[in-house]
């Protein structure tokens, strides 16, 4: 919060709640960005894995389950990877949607808060 | 968490003191009997306390967030063992003996698994019991994480309220000084 030169704009409880909500949304926004980055990485890894699978001619593939690498037949591994790709894609979609919603809400709040406080408030990233 | 616009009266949550909202700085200072500097010092101290609690909660959150994928991996392994049960084929797995060194294991059909319970204790369970236990642990961990996240949100709100109050008290003080200066200048002229 910037400290202005002694302005007299009153801060009501509703304003405080808006500021709180903006803070929360901002936090959630950064969390979502991290989660989206990780989900994208996982997707890429799964893509690479399934590409490698196509290239290999071994019957048994060592597939990581928990902490061990189990010997699993190639088709089963392909199925599993397809499944994992679907799960990650859906998760990524949901995260992107939530991020869009958060960004929209933050824009709304910025309008309201800047409207009332103008220069007395700073809602940008440092 | 949209609270109503009426009086904000969440005094505390699970040991975290709530920051009371100041409707009017003048009234706040008169009622508390503090001068501006003491009020600012008090609020700053509150802010530091909040920061400490925040660090603690963040650490707990990281622990839980690491624990949950762990439990899910265990559930995966038990499920794989159970799936292999009917087929009569052994499960061949490569596991890490030490960094970079792997060994091969042949796991025959089995009805039971052993689970690490922590504190150097490992217990043998049937596959179904193991799945049930792991499932329960997973749900507990997820529930704890949810509570923790809500705590953190509450805490961050209190931090924001305190920061805004500090700014307002400071601004009010600056404003008062300006008024006094202006009054003094008017008197002199």
């Amino acid at each position: 919060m910037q400290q202005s030169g002694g302005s007299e704009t009153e801060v009501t409880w509703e304003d405080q709640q808006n500021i709180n909500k903006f803070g929360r949304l901002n936090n959630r926004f950064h969390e979502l960005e991290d989660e989206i980055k990780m989900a994208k990485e996982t997707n890429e890894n799964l893509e690479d894995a399934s590409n490698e699978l196509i290239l290999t001619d071994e019957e048994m593939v060592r597939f990581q389950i928990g902490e061990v690498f189990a010997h699993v037949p190639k088709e089963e591994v392909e199925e599993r990877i397809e499944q994992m790709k679907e799960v990650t894609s859906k998760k990524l979609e949901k995260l992107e949607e939530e991020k869009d919603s958060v960004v929209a809400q933050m824009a709304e709040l910025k309008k309201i808060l800047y409207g009332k406080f103008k220069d007395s408030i700073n809602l940008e990233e440092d | 968490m949209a609270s109503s616009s009426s009086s904000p009266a969440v005094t505390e949550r699970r040991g975290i003191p709530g920051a009371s909202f100041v409707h009017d700085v003048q009234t706040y200072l008169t009622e508390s009997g503090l001068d501006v500097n003491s009020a600012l010092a008090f609020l700053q101290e509150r802010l530091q306390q909040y920061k400490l609690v925040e660090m603690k909660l963040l650490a707990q959150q990281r622990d839980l967030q690491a624990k949950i994928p762990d439990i899910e991996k265990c559930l995966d392994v038990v499920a794989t063992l159970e799936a292999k049960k009917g087929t009569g084929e052994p499960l061949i797995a490569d596991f890490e003996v030490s960094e970079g060194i792997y060994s091969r294991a042949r796991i025959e059909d089995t009805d039971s698994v052993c689970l690490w319970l922590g504190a150097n204790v490992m217990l043998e369970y049937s596959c179904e019991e193991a799945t049930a236990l792991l499932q329960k642990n997973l749900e507990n961990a997820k529930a704890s994480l949810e509570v923790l996240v809500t705590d953190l949100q509450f805490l961050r709100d209190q931090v924001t309220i305190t920061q805004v109050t500090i700014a307002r008290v400071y601004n009010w003080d600056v404003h008062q000084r300006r008024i006094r200066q202006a009054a003094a200048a008017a008197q002199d002229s």
Side-chain angles (χ1 to χ4, degrees), chain B residues 15 17-18 21 54 60 63-64 76 86 108 113-114 128 136 162 183:
Chain B
F21 177 68
E54 187 178 358
Q60 283 179 356
D63 285 341
L64 276 175
D76 219 356
E108 304 284 347
V113 290
C114 298
E128 291 87 28
K136 193 173 75 120
T162 311

Side-chain angles (χ1 to χ4, degrees), chain B:
Chain B
M1 211 168 80
S3 17
S4 69
S5 306
S6 62
S7 188
V10 186
T11 41
E12 68 107 58
R13 181 194 155 97
R14 289 169 32 101
I16 308 171
S20 46
F21 177 68
V22 168
H23 289 279
D24 175 54
V25 180
Q26 174 74 74
T27 325
Y28 170 68
L29 289 174
T30 334
E31 276 181 3
S32 62
L34 294 168
D35 68 312
V36 173
N37 289 331
S38 315
L40 283 174
F42 168 72
L43 290 167
Q44 287 286 11
E45 203 193 305
R46 259 305 174 79
L47 205 59
Q48 295 298 45
Q49 290 172 340
Y50 284 145
K51 290 289 178 190
L52 280 175
V53 177
E54 187 178 358
M55 284 193 341
K56 198 176 77 162
L57 289 181
L58 281 174
Q60 283 179 356
Q61 186 188 29
R62 274 193 300 266
D63 285 341
L64 276 175
Q65 280 173 332
K67 210 164 129 184
I68 289 178
D70 244 2
I71 303 179
E72 286 172 344
K73 276 196 241 181
C74 290
L75 273 170
D76 219 356
V77 173
V78 177
T80 310
L81 284 174
E82 272 194 302
K84 274 289 194 179
K85 242 195 320 205
T87 66
E89 292 167 12
L91 178 69
I92 315 227
D94 295 341
F95 62 97
E96 196 176 26
V97 178
S98 157
E99 177 123 20
I101 302 180
Y102 291 78
S103 175
R104 191 153 292 173
R106 176 196 210 82
I107 306 171
E108 304 284 347
D109 250 12
T110 178
D111 284 325
S112 68
V113 290
C114 298
L115 294 177
W116 269 126
L117 297 181
N120 280 338
V121 174
M122 186 181 241
L123 213 53
E124 186 173 354
Y125 289 92
S126 75
C127 284
E128 291 87 28
E129 286 175 339
T131 311
L133 179 67
L134 288 170
Q135 202 53 51
K136 193 173 75 120
N137 285 349
L138 184 64
E139 277 158 21
N140 287 345
K142 287 189 175 167
S144 298
L145 190 60
E146 258 186 56
V147 171
L148 201 68
V149 165
T150 319
D151 281 350
L152 268 172
Q153 285 180 333
F154 173 78
L155 184 66
R156 292 208 175 106
D157 278 355
Q158 307 318 302
V159 167
T160 312
I161 294 177
T162 311
Q163 287 172 326
V164 169
T165 309
I166 291 178
R168 288 168 63 205
V169 169
Y170 182 81
N171 286 352
W172 180 88
D173 186 43
V174 171
H175 190 77
Q176 294 300 101
R177 283 173 204 267
R178 288 240 183 99
I179 294 181
R180 283 198 295 268
Q181 273 181 339
Q187 257 185 353
D188 291 340
S189 59

Side-chain angles (χ1 to χ4, degrees), chain A residues 18-31:
Chain A
N18 279 342
I19 297 174
N20 286 354
K21 185 158 172 217
F22 184 83
R24 270 199 226 183
L25 288 171
N26 198 20
N27 277 329
R28 184 68 192 136
F29 174 72
H30 288 295
E31 278 175 19

